[in-house]
Amino acid sequence: MLVKKSAAIAGPAVNTAIKNNSVTKVVGKITEGGGQHMGGFKAPQLPPPVVRPVATSSSKPVVEKQITRKNEETRPEPMDTTPAGEMPDATQQQHSGTGVDDNQQAQQKPAKKVWTLSNFDIGRPLGRGKFGNVYLAREKETKFVIALKVLFKKQVHAQGIEHQVRREIEIQSHLRHPNILRMYGYFHDESRIYLILEYAPGGTLFKEQQQQPGKRFPENRCAIYVYSLVSALIYLHERNVIHRDIKPENLLLGHGGELKIADFGWSVHEPTSSRTTLCGTLDYLSPEMVQGQPHTKTVDLWSLGVLAYELVCGKAPFLATTYEETYRKIMKVQYTVPPDVTKAASHLISRLLVKDPANRMPLENVAVHPWIQLHVDKK
């Protein structure tokens, strides 16, 4: 993972996160050893702003084969922290309110914006990882708050994961779903790659889980998280994208506490073939992946079952003291559900943690399972 499990894209209220007198001028620090330029790439333009209607009485507001193991006082400027689906484009904002008609404005379209680090105020670190860091940041002209993921090219090259980073950008930048973290764009300089990501102030689901009594969520909350994840996975699978690394550390919480899938470093776009790569997190590996057999989208169904168990029970179902014991438990699908877990929750888990991939409950059936129906209001 590019960000350790303790590294959350989270923090206190945004208006106190970046202050004028404490905005870290790390432009020089981050880019030490090289100026900004676009190298051989051309950074894509960020999406245009969402036009929000005025409120009225009727309007509603891969290192391959690498496995990880679970364990372990000046007032600041106002910042736009609205959980919008699009990042405002400052060049387009400059044309508003000028009295220029639409036709003339269309003829005066600005050139595509090329992003550099100088476009952003950099705030506090949100997380640190093996290949780089994540910072709270703000686009200077629009005051739009984002999370800036900074990857070190030397580390990426040394580990031979250039294809993994490229895959993460190619996949995530094209996804548009309320339960999937947005990637607004990217740019790079001589020594670093920068990913412009949606800011999720709630942090990781893992961090939130550690703060719960017994590290367990109430079942109604678990059902809501599972249902949100199912919705996102249906969207991904319809586009032939397999995530392959579903776990609490890769799930973030947005402004309203909504679940968002993040970190697509292990994801693949496989419309016609299956995969044999051993990847992801040990406790979440499916039996076919443990055996090195070809795998398909059904690996995400297994991970969904592991996640449901962990959220309800407070630990991973196949947790053991050694790798070998964990592998053995996975292959035998050997786990125990605590007696205080409801039968409905246990049934759903048992229909997902199935050794034969073909017999795992389809996502569409999970969405209408009695346990989900009992707790989720779909209005």
Side-chain angles (χ1 to χ4, degrees):
M1 286 301 96
L2 303 180
V3 181
K4 294 180 181 177
K5 74 170 54 175
S6 60
I9 302 180
V14 176
N15 281 338
T16 59
I18 304 180
K19 298 184 178 180
N20 284 348
N21 61 349
S22 63
V23 168
T24 312
K25 297 301 182 182
V26 296
V27 173
K29 182 178 179 182
I30 291 181
T31 59
E32 201 170 47
Q36 301 127 12
H37 64 80
M38 296 313 298
F41 294 150
K42 183 176 181 180
Q45 183 182 11
L46 298 187
V50 172
V51 179
R52 301 185 180 279
V54 178
T56 66
S57 58
S58 61
S59 63
K60 295 182 180 179
V62 170
V63 180
E64 304 293 353
K65 299 188 179 180
Q66 176 177 338
I67 305 174
T68 56
R69 186 174 181 83
K70 290 175 68 66
N71 30 324
E72 23 237 291
E73 221 39 36
T74 302
R75 286 185 62 83
E77 292 182 64
M79 293 186 290
D80 179 2
T81 61
T82 305
E86 304 289 341
M87 180 175 176
D89 188 332
T91 60
Q92 293 187 20
Q93 285 193 353
Q94 291 172 356
H95 288 277
S96 62
T98 59
V100 181
D101 61 43
D102 292 341
N103 292 333
Q104 187 175 349
Q105 210 175 73
Q107 296 173 0
Q108 298 177 356
K109 280 187 177 180
K112 285 188 176 182
K113 188 171 184 66
V114 176
W115 297 96
T116 68
L117 195 58
S118 62
N119 293 118
F120 299 92
D121 290 320
I122 310 299
R124 62 182 177 82
L126 297 174
R128 298 185 184 279
K130 182 177 181 180
F131 306 111
N133 304 319
V134 182
Y135 296 90
L136 186 65
R138 179 177 62 184
E139 202 279 325
K140 291 181 178 179
E141 292 188 55
T142 64
K143 311 301 181 187
F144 190 85
V145 175
I146 53 96
L148 193 64
K149 188 172 183 177
V150 184
L151 305 176
F152 304 107
K153 287 185 176 180
K154 283 186 178 179
Q155 283 89 327
V156 169
H157 179 71
Q159 295 294 328
I161 61 167
E162 295 96 331
H163 65 293
Q164 185 176 328
V165 174
R166 186 179 301 112
R167 188 166 58 197
E168 178 177 5
I169 294 172
E170 290 174 348
I171 291 176
Q172 194 170 357
S173 62
H174 288 88
L175 301 176
R176 304 288 186 276
H177 189 279
N179 298 117
I180 297 177
L181 195 76
R182 280 292 309 275
M183 178 181 289
Y184 298 116
Y186 75 96
F187 59 97
H188 68 102
D189 58 27
E190 291 180 352
S191 58
R192 290 167 175 81
I193 303 166
Y194 305 87
L195 308 184
I196 308 172
L197 301 171
E198 176 184 357
Y199 172 54
T204 65
L205 185 62
F206 176 82
K207 180 181 177 182
E208 181 70 14
Q209 183 180 0
Q210 302 309 301
Q211 298 172 355
Q212 304 304 308
K215 299 181 181 179
R216 302 167 63 177
F217 290 108
E219 284 198 18
N220 64 326
R221 193 169 173 186
C222 294
I224 293 171
Y225 287 147
V226 170
Y227 180 74
S228 300
L229 185 54
V230 166
S231 176
L233 287 176
I234 289 175
Y235 173 89
L236 291 175
H237 290 182
E238 285 175 346
R239 288 152 182 79
N240 299 306
V241 174
I242 315 173
H243 189 277
R244 303 200 301 174
D245 200 18
I246 298 295
K247 59 180 180 178
E249 294 89 333
N250 288 342
L251 300 173
L252 302 178
L253 300 175
H255 288 76
E258 68 278 10
L259 194 76
K260 292 181 178 290
I261 300 181
D263 204 329
F264 283 76
W266 286 113
S267 300
V268 289
H269 180 258
E270 290 294 325
T272 56
S273 61
S274 57
R275 303 283 296 186
T276 56
T277 304
L278 184 63
C279 64
T281 301
L282 178 64
D283 303 83
Y284 280 72
L285 289 180
S286 64
E288 61 268 29
M289 294 184 74
V290 167
Q291 291 182 304
Q293 297 176 348
H295 55 268
T296 62
K297 302 169 188 175
T298 54
V299 298
D300 285 342
L301 300 179
W302 175 274
S303 297
L304 179 64
V306 176
L307 179 75
Y309 181 99
E310 182 165 353
L311 297 181
V312 171
C313 303
K315 63 179 182 179
F318 308 109
L319 189 64
T321 56
T322 65
Y323 286 103
E324 292 75 15
E325 181 67 10
T326 298
Y327 280 126
R328 187 186 68 80
K329 286 187 173 184
I330 290 173
M331 292 308 304
K332 291 186 175 183
V333 195
Q334 179 184 338
Y335 67 93
T336 304
V337 178
D340 58 341
V341 175
T342 64
K343 290 184 178 179
S346 298
H347 179 266
L348 177 59
I349 292 169
S350 70
R351 295 296 290 113
L352 292 168
L353 296 181
V354 178
K355 187 172 182 179
D356 184 351
N359 291 331
R360 292 169 195 159
M361 181 178 284
L363 291 171
E364 292 77 9
N365 292 5
V366 175
V368 296
H369 187 276
W371 184 64
I372 299 292
Q373 295 285 318
L374 177 64
H375 296 295
V376 177
D377 180 7
K378 303 182 186 65
K379 290 181 181 179

